[in-house]
Amino acid sequence: MFKEAFKFMWYDKAKMFGILFGIILSVFLIGQQLGICFALLGGTISLAENNKQYVWVVSDKSQQVSDLPLLDMRISRELMTVAGVLRVNTMVVGAGSAKFKDDTKTPITLIGTQSPRHIGGPWNFVKGSLEDLQQEGAIITDEYDQISSKKIKIGDHFEFNGNRVFLSGNTRGAKGLGVAYGFTTVERVRKLCKIPTTQASAFLIEIEKGYTNQEVVDNINKEIKGVKARDGQVYTDESLKYFALNSGIVASFGLLVIFAIITGFAIVGLTMFSAVNDRLKDYGTLKAIGGTNGIIRQLILWQAVLYSVVGFGVAYVLLRGFVNVTKTSLNIKITPYLTLFLIGVTLFIAILGSLFAMRKIIKMEPAQVFRT
């Protein structure tokens, strides 16, 4: 049946390529839009996503991870008295702009963590040494961010908020949504961003053995007022939900995905229907010599499967190329779940598109072929 299905496809090459074009275009657009959507959402929560193994303690006014109102540092000492808390790690987040020799500027969100362990970041650290952050003015930025396009190499100096700093290392893909992340010490962020030494953005809690994250979260929320403690995974999910519901990203890209599915279905369905109309005599002859409706169904479904395999294969290669080309600006990941979803969509478009053609042939009387 596979061989016969291929012969039917190959007989009309123009329509075969038309159907494949529809599948490839639709699957590529769906994968591209979903990939960009997930990359944008991932950028908004990357700070929490890469620190979800800790218990987060933030202001009770914080709704998501990029909104971190300052907390009093005295809370750090209070946290150490809570049952289950092993260590409290301070994080200070500030904003500013880097200025280069050509007088251009780029915004950077500066994340400060405590030396020497630097719990909270940098993550995906690829060049340099964390020990270098002890040097005056040392900052780590991402190799894919705009600062790298200024041909700033490790050891080179530039300005941040009017202060002379230098690049001491690189991360890879450690960035937020539309803004570069820079990493340095807590003390340097306070100095460069003029944040008082009595305040911090968040505390990342390491817990003692024998306790669960949820038990420590409950203890903190019960004993300390004015703060919100969350398990890292829960805080990541809350932040993701906030952006998904309030940013419009999901609605915008979801609409484009629906349009891509409808477009693919229309192209594939109409082209397959047209191809069947052109070959009614062949299908009618097949039925006239004893071919059952079951055989006809198998023949058309095999064609749909072949179109799916080839169309998905080509679209997947194109999608991989798109991911590679945009890797410096977008952190798109083709996950196994996304791949499975795209396979399902491909089969859905091809098989549903073939149903119109199948219905017409099954209803056709074998004698019709001799009357035309």
Side-chain angles (χ1 to χ4, degrees):
M1 190 59 73
F2 171 83
K3 189 176 178 182
E4 284 72 21
F6 179 75
K7 285 181 178 178
F8 267 76
M9 292 166 57
W10 192 251
Y11 178 80
D12 192 343
K13 298 182 183 63
K15 289 191 171 56
M16 179 186 74
F17 286 117
I19 293 169
L20 286 175
F21 174 76
I23 293 176
I24 293 167
L25 178 68
S26 182
V27 174
F28 174 75
L29 287 177
I30 293 168
Q32 181 204 40
Q33 296 302 320
L34 287 177
I36 294 174
C37 178
F38 293 149
L40 294 179
L41 288 174
T44 62
I45 61 167
S46 61
L47 185 57
E49 174 75 21
N50 287 280
N51 292 290
K52 58 187 178 185
Q53 66 272 41
Y54 307 110
V55 169
W56 281 71
V57 178
V58 297
S59 166
D60 57 0
K61 297 181 179 62
S62 173
Q63 294 182 294
Q64 36 82 16
V65 70
S66 65
D67 172 31
L68 297 173
L70 293 171
L71 295 166
D72 196 306
M73 275 301 293
R74 286 176 291 187
I75 293 172
S76 172
R77 290 190 288 274
E78 292 183 51
L79 287 168
M80 285 303 300
T81 66
V82 177
V85 173
L86 175 64
R87 193 174 290 111
V88 180
N89 301 282
T90 303
M91 173 183 283
V92 178
V93 181
S97 62
K99 183 179 178 182
F100 308 100
K101 291 180 180 177
D102 59 1
D103 286 334
T104 58
K105 294 182 178 179
T106 185
I108 292 180
T109 295
L110 208 54
I111 299 169
T113 51
Q114 287 181 288
S115 300
R117 301 174 69 233
H118 293 284
I119 299 298
W123 58 89
N124 297 341
F125 188 54
V126 291
K127 292 179 185 174
S129 169
L130 288 178
E131 294 178 356
D132 292 339
L133 285 177
Q134 298 304 315
Q135 299 179 49
E136 183 59 34
I139 288 178
I140 294 169
T141 65
D142 197 85
E143 64 179 4
Y144 291 154
D145 279 326
Q146 292 183 18
I147 190 170
S148 297
S149 67
K150 303 295 180 182
K151 297 182 179 176
I152 301 291
K153 301 187 293 293
I154 292 177
D156 289 350
H157 289 80
F158 57 97
E159 284 187 19
F160 183 85
N161 284 355
N163 297 275
R164 192 166 185 260
V165 297
F166 77 94
L167 183 66
S168 66
N170 279 141
T171 55
R172 181 173 294 160
K175 57 172 67 177
L177 176 61
V179 63
Y181 277 163
F183 299 92
T184 187
T185 62
V186 165
E187 296 76 15
R188 195 160 298 123
V189 173
R190 285 175 172 149
K191 177 184 175 183
L192 295 174
C193 301
K194 301 187 185 310
I195 297 173
T197 57
T198 56
Q199 294 182 313
S201 301
F203 300 107
L204 302 187
I205 307 299
E206 294 173 81
I207 65 171
E208 290 181 355
K209 286 184 179 177
Y211 287 86
T212 66
N213 280 11
Q214 192 55 50
E215 287 173 340
V216 175
V217 165
D218 292 340
N219 291 341
I220 294 172
N221 286 329
K222 182 179 178 182
E223 296 184 24
I224 303 179
K225 304 301 179 187
V227 302
K228 180 168 70 177
R230 289 286 186 276
D231 172 75
Q233 183 62 60
V234 172
Y235 193 49
T236 302
D237 294 342
E238 284 182 0
S239 299
L240 181 62
K241 183 179 179 181
Y242 176 88
F243 281 107
L245 296 177
N246 296 283
S247 66
I249 294 175
V250 173
S252 300
F253 284 94
L255 198 59
L256 291 173
V257 168
I258 291 172
F259 282 148
I261 293 174
I262 293 172
T263 302
F265 172 70
I267 294 174
V268 173
L270 291 176
T271 309
M272 289 191 78
F273 189 75
S274 174
V276 166
N277 265 341
D278 292 346
R279 306 204 62 187
L280 277 179
K281 284 186 177 179
D282 298 320
Y283 285 110
T285 303
L286 190 62
K287 294 185 75 171
I289 62 176
T292 63
N293 284 335
I295 292 175
I296 297 295
R297 289 192 191 95
Q298 287 183 43
L299 183 62
I300 294 179
L301 286 176
W302 265 110
Q303 291 181 56
V305 170
L306 285 172
Y307 282 128
S308 300
V309 171
V310 177
F312 174 80
V314 175
Y316 190 77
V317 170
L318 292 175
L319 201 55
R320 281 286 182 190
F322 175 76
V323 170
N324 193 49
V325 169
T326 58
K327 67 180 181 182
T328 59
S329 55
L330 287 169
N331 188 21
I332 297 177
K333 296 177 182 175
I334 303 180
T335 62
Y337 292 115
L338 178 58
T339 303
L340 287 174
F341 176 76
L342 291 177
I343 291 173
V345 167
T346 308
L347 288 170
F348 172 77
I349 290 174
I351 292 175
L352 196 63
S354 69
L355 290 182
F356 292 111
M358 190 186 301
R359 185 167 179 269
K360 183 176 180 69
I361 297 171
I362 289 175
K363 282 188 172 182
M364 186 178 70
E365 293 295 331
Q368 280 184 252
V369 69
F370 301 110
R371 293 199 294 265
T372 57

